Amino acid sequence: MHADVAAPDEVLLEPVFWSLFSVGGFITAFLLPVMLFLIFFAAPFHLWPGDPAAYATFLAHWKEPLVRLFFFVLIGGSLFHGTHRLKFMLMDAGFKGPAAEALLDLILNGVAIFGSLGALYYALRGWLF
Amino acid sequence: MTVHEYPARRRRGWWLRNPRYLAFQLREAGGVVCALYGLILLNMLIQLRDGESAYAAFLNLLRTPPVLYLNVVLFALVLWHALTWFMLIGKAQPIQFTRQPLPWKVVFGINVLLWIGVSGAVVYLIFGGM
């Protein structure tokens, strides 16, 4: 991107999405591996005393606001981080040009924004409304 | 003023020519996998809302052998992404508590220790311990 020829909205939005990507990198690096281990691998590979993902166990934890906040932050962070990476991987692969970039921004940022809003909805549902 | 762009040209399959480039591409792929897991976790919350049978079906699907082993491969990419993230923190933004910036390996070690601590905290605070 050339700062001298970029449209004002690009100058405004790019730092916002880059910041969310960067924060998402910290969130996914620190929180996602342990989460995936507990949900996907702990019980099937008999690496844990119980099943942390079992319905009754998880539902009991899900009542706590901290757990809901954790899932919202983790899902939002993962989405903003991963979609930003995917955009640049696709651009590297030849999906270039202003129109292609605008399309990628629309789809990928849309996934990140609506996915995060979805996570926020489920985090608040049954707690605040 | 006319602005000329000089796009960097790379040969096809450039990332297969050097182990470092391959490691970089795997790291990038790991980042994308993080978004995939974000969507899977969101789906988990949707199934939770839909009740016990929907949630159990979702969990059983994840635990069928093909999906489970695919998840192991994707999990390895997520781990590689996390480890390389800890490696780059000290390189991309040198941390200067001392007269000279801390060597990246020291910053990496501190981050790995922090990662272990945070993971332990998640086990106890989010999943109620072992």
Side-chain angles (χ1 to χ4, degrees), chain A residues 40 51 53 81-82 85 125, chain B residues 27 31 49 55 62-63 81:
Chain A
F40 294 130
D51 181 357
H81 186 76
R85 278 230 187 285
R125 187 179 176 276
Chain B
R27 166 191 160 62
R49 178 207 60 182
Y55 182 85
L62 284 176
R63 291 172 180 185
H81 182 259

Side-chain angles (χ1 to χ4, degrees), chain A residues 77-124:
Chain A
S78 312
L79 289 177
F80 276 104
H81 186 76
T83 51
H84 191 272
R85 278 230 187 285
L86 182 58
K87 176 186 165 185
F88 285 94
M89 280 187 88
L90 290 173
M91 284 168 65
D92 267 353
F95 211 67
K96 285 178 186 164
E101 209 174 317
L103 183 68
L104 286 179
D105 276 339
L106 185 71
I107 295 172
L108 296 174
N109 291 339
V111 167
I113 290 168
F114 284 105
S116 302
L117 288 175
L120 182 64
Y121 169 78
Y122 287 110
L124 297 178

Side-chain angles (χ1 to χ4, degrees), chain B residues 30-41:
Chain B
V32 178
V33 170
C34 290
L36 179 66
Y37 277 121
L39 292 175
I40 293 174
L41 291 175

Side-chain angles (χ1 to χ4, degrees), chain A residues 24-68:
Chain A
F26 276 98
I27 291 168
T28 50
F30 278 101
L31 302 179
L32 194 59
V34 63
M35 174 73 198
L36 296 181
F37 170 77
L38 291 170
I39 298 278
F40 294 130
F41 308 116
F45 290 116
H46 308 290
L47 299 170
W48 209 253
D51 181 357
Y55 181 76
T57 313
F58 189 70
L59 193 63
H61 294 314
W62 186 244
K63 293 188 168 65
E64 296 166 30
L66 182 66
V67 176
R68 289 163 178 259

